[in-house]
Amino acid sequence: MMKAQTIEEKQYLVRFNADTKSHLHVLDDNICLTKCPDKICTIFCPAAVYKWEDIRMHVGYEGCHECGSCRIGCPHENIRWEYPRGGHGIVFRLG
Amino acid sequence: MGVRETNTQFIAGHARLPSGMAAKSVFDTLTITAEVDKKYGVIVDASCTLATEHGRDYVARLLKGHSLKDGIDEPLAQLHEGYLGKANQALCAALKDLYKHADVVVLADGVNSLLAKQLGFHREWRPDEVALATMEILKLDKNIIEDRFNLEANQGCTIEIFGDATKGILGTGFLYTNKDTLSIGVGTLLSGLIKHKIKPYELLEYVKNHPMIRPYIQGSEPVEYLAHLIPEGGYHSIPKVAGHGVLVVGDAAQLVNAIHREGSNMAMTSGRLAAETIIMAKEQNDFSESMLDQYRMKLMESFIGQDLKKYKDATHHFESFPQYFDQYIPMLNRAASQMFTVDGASKWEKQKKIWRDLGSTKQKFKLARDMMKAWKVMK
C-alpha cells in the first residue's frame, strides 16, 4: 500500500506566481456563517483554498488552480471569481 | 427631452507605465481615450492619464484631427519624436492599443469564459454541466514505462478507468503514458462531488491506490498536481456561439463529448470553422450576427454537432439514475468474477446464481427497462 499523499504534499508540487491581491472574494461572510452549514467549497475545492475559521471563510488564493469550481459550486453564489492579473497565478511546468 | 443622437464613438487604449514617473503613483497603467467621428474616423477629442495637465494637453493636441481611417503611423511618429518624457514608449503602446480594432473576436477562453457570460451568451454553468478533473504527473523511468505498458520506443498507451474508480459517482479515471512520466487522473461531475461530499484529491488517491491501478504506477514519483474543469453539459448546454463580431469555440462553447472523452479535436475543428466563417465575412465585409451565424450552422452540421446530438441525453440520464454506476457496474463485475472463477461449480450453476443475484422478477424488469433506456440515450 502506497502512503496516501495529502493535499499539502500535492500543492507543494505546484508552482505559483502569487499576486499581492486575491482574485477570489467571498461576497458576504454572514451567508457562510448563517446559511451554509455544509460549507461545501471546503470539500470540493481541489486545492483546499477555502478553510472555515470559526466565523469566516479563509481564502488561500495563493494556491488556487483557477479551475472555477467554487464560482459554479457555491450554493449561494457567494464567491466572486476572476482570473488573477496578467502574469500571476498558477504556473504549469509539465501537465 | 429626446435622446441626442451621437455621431462619435468613445475608444480607449492602455499600456503599462515604466516605474519612477509621476503618473505611476496614481495609476498602474496609462490610458489614452479618444472620441472619434463614426463616419470619418476623425479624432475630435482625446485625453490621457498622464499626471501633468501640460502632458495631457500635448497628447490631445497631437491626436486631434487625425483620422483613424488613415492608420496611425503618422500620429505615432509625431508622438514618438515629439513627446520626450519618460512615458514615450507607454504612450505609443497605448495609441497602438487604441487603434487595434478587430472585426471579429473569437472567444477561446475555455470553460471559464467570463467574456461569453458577460455578453449574455449563457448563464452561469450549473454544477452538473461541468466535471472537475484532478490529475497528477508521475515521474517514471522511460525503460520501465516501455516494459510495464508493453510499448516500443515512441509508442504510448492510454487506460480508461470506469466504475469503482469514481466510487459510484458518474465519472471516469484515466492513465496515460508520456515519454518519462505518467499522467493519472480522475474526473466526476462537480454536482456528484457536492452530493457525495467527496474531496477530489482524496478520490485521486483512492484511484492511485486501487489494486488494479497501483501496479502500473508503482515506484513512480509525483512531480506535479493539476485540477481543471471540463465542460460536460453536452448538446443542451451549448451556448449562443455567434453574435455581432463574436464567435465562441472549444471549451468556452461546451464542445466536449464526455462519453468518448473527446474535446481537443472539437476545439481545433470549431476553431477552423470559425476561421472559415470569418474569411467569408471579411470577403463580404459583413460581421453581423446573421452573417456569423453561419459558423453555428457549420458547427451543427459537422461531427461536433452530430456527436453531441447523439449523446444529448446520456450524461443527464446517468446522472439522474445513479443505479447504473452504484449498482449495475458492481453487479457486472461480480457476475464476471463468478463466471470466470474455476471452483468446481458448473457454468450452468454459476449462470443460475448470477440470474438469482439480479433480484426479484420485479427488479429484473426494472433492470431490463434501465438497459433499454441506456441503449436509447447511447444509440
Side-chain angles (χ1 to χ4, degrees):
Chain A
M1 187 79 184
M2 246 189 300
K3 198 180 148 284
Q5 210 192 7
T6 64
I7 183 60
E8 287 76 20
E9 287 169 317
K10 287 188 193 302
Q11 285 288 88
Y12 193 68
L13 303 171
V14 189
R15 243 186 76 196
F16 298 96
N17 181 14
D19 201 347
T20 47
K21 283 183 284 193
S22 177
H23 63 288
L24 306 169
H25 298 274
V26 173
L27 297 172
D28 184 353
D29 276 319
N30 218 21
I31 288 179
C32 307
L33 182 66
T34 58
K35 296 211 172 92
C36 193
D38 284 343
K39 317 217 187 320
I40 198 73
C41 59
T42 63
I43 308 271
F44 68 66
C45 170
V49 161
Y50 295 91
K51 291 202 171 75
W52 182 248
E53 288 179 341
D54 299 325
I55 52 154
R56 62 181 282 276
M57 193 61 76
H58 177 262
V59 185
Y61 71 93
E62 298 92 339
C64 174
H65 283 237
E66 298 155 38
C67 74
S69 296
C70 56
R71 188 186 78 247
I72 296 170
C74 172
H76 302 282
E77 292 174 36
N78 195 28
I79 297 170
R80 193 173 86 223
W81 188 102
E82 289 157 317
Y83 282 108
R85 287 193 303 174
H88 294 279
I90 191 160
V91 183
F92 293 118
R93 292 168 299 130
L94 305 160
Chain B
M1 211 170 79
V3 178
R4 195 167 68 103
E5 190 154 328
T6 55
N7 300 317
T8 56
Q9 276 177 319
F10 184 87
I11 56 174
H14 313 271
R16 263 174 199 273
L17 277 175
S19 54
M21 59 171 298
K24 179 84 175 169
S25 57
V26 191
F27 305 106
D28 248 4
T29 54
L30 177 76
T31 302
I32 296 184
T33 58
E35 193 177 341
V36 182
D37 182 272
K38 273 185 193 169
K39 197 169 171 191
Y40 303 105
V42 176
I43 298 174
V44 294
D45 202 1
S47 182
C48 66
T49 56
L50 284 173
T52 61
E53 197 183 337
H54 195 174
R56 292 195 298 271
D57 278 352
Y58 180 81
V59 173
R61 256 184 289 133
L62 195 145
L63 292 178
K64 267 193 238 177
H66 281 287
S67 169
L68 291 180
K69 296 215 163 168
D70 299 331
I72 49 159
D73 289 349
E74 207 187 311
L76 203 59
Q78 288 174 3
L79 196 60
H80 189 66
E81 285 155 25
Y83 185 94
L84 299 179
K86 210 169 181 180
N88 180 302
Q89 296 224 353
L91 278 168
C92 291
L95 182 59
K96 282 185 201 162
D97 187 52
L98 174 112
Y99 180 66
K100 230 189 284 162
H101 260 296
D103 292 320
V104 184
V105 176
V106 179
L107 299 187
D109 47 350
V111 62
N112 291 308
S113 180
L114 301 184
L115 290 169
K117 198 178 93 177
Q118 208 175 311
L119 285 172
F121 280 22
H122 64 81
R123 40 147 189 75
E124 184 60 272
W125 308 126
R126 291 186 316 263
D128 65 354
E129 291 178 301
V130 290
L132 176 54
T134 53
M135 177 174 119
E136 241 172 57
I137 313 278
L138 308 170
K139 194 153 184 54
L140 191 62
D141 183 77
K142 191 167 171 265
N143 296 318
I144 297 178
I145 293 177
E146 285 171 11
D147 278 353
R148 195 174 283 179
F149 291 86
N150 213 12
L151 302 170
E152 290 179 355
N154 271 327
Q155 277 186 335
C157 159
T158 117
I159 297 174
E160 300 288 325
I161 309 154
F162 189 67
D164 189 49
T166 48
K167 294 190 173 180
I169 314 173
L170 186 57
T172 53
F174 55 86
L175 174 59
Y176 307 141
T177 61
N178 309 309
K179 280 218 167 72
D180 55 1
T181 55
L182 303 173
S183 301
I184 186 162
V186 60
T188 63
L189 287 182
L190 182 57
S191 53
L193 289 174
I194 291 173
K195 195 168 149 202
H196 297 269
K197 299 200 172 104
I198 288 179
K199 294 180 174 170
Y201 36 90
E202 288 180 4
L203 189 63
L204 181 59
E205 282 307 299
Y206 177 75
V207 174
K208 282 169 66 186
N209 280 295
H210 195 283
M212 293 288 287
I213 301 301
R214 206 166 53 218
Y216 284 117
I217 62 171
Q218 205 108 58
S220 64
E221 184 204 344
V223 285
E224 190 162 40
Y225 167 65
L226 309 92
H228 202 293
L229 280 185
I230 303 164
E232 293 196 355
Y235 189 78
H236 297 299
S237 299
I238 300 175
K240 181 174 166 179
V241 293
H244 186 87
V246 189
L247 293 175
V248 191
V249 300
D251 274 10
Q254 283 263 351
L255 304 182
V256 169
N257 181 345
I259 302 283
H260 285 261
R261 326 297 309 146
E262 289 177 16
S264 41
N265 56 342
M266 294 187 165
M268 288 186 273
T269 302
S270 63
R272 177 171 58 78
L273 296 175
E276 285 169 7
T277 310
I278 295 167
I279 290 170
M280 207 168 67
K282 185 88 186 161
E283 278 164 5
Q284 300 181 28
N285 199 29
D286 175 6
F287 304 99
S288 64
E289 183 172 334
S290 60
M291 177 70 194
L292 293 177
D293 200 51
Q294 300 261 354
Y295 163 67
R296 188 183 54 81
M297 282 147 70
K298 284 186 209 168
L299 194 68
M300 289 307 158
E301 282 163 15
S302 75
F303 78 92
I304 300 173
Q306 298 302 307
D307 284 0
L308 292 181
K309 199 168 180 181
K310 180 176 193 285
Y311 299 110
K312 66 182 169 30
D313 299 314
T315 321
H316 183 67
H317 180 75
F318 295 120
E319 160 86 350
S320 315
F321 302 102
Q323 62 263 37
Y324 291 97
F325 272 71
D326 61 18
Q327 287 177 34
Y328 301 157
I329 290 177
M331 212 181 251
L332 202 66
N333 281 337
R334 282 197 303 275
S337 148
Q338 267 175 38
M339 206 59 186
F340 298 118
T341 304
V342 176
D343 56 3
S346 76
K347 298 299 177 208
W348 267 324
E349 279 174 71
K350 285 173 185 294
Q351 229 163 278
K352 263 186 207 148
K353 184 171 184 316
I354 291 169
W355 184 246
R356 269 201 314 276
D357 287 350
L358 294 184
S360 66
T361 314
K362 203 178 147 197
Q363 283 166 318
K364 280 178 189 129
F365 267 113
K366 184 176 185 308
L367 182 73
R369 232 181 11 247
D370 280 347
M371 290 306 132
M372 272 306 291
K373 282 192 206 149
W375 168 249
K376 264 172 90 174
V377 297
M378 294 288 281
K379 78 168 180 4

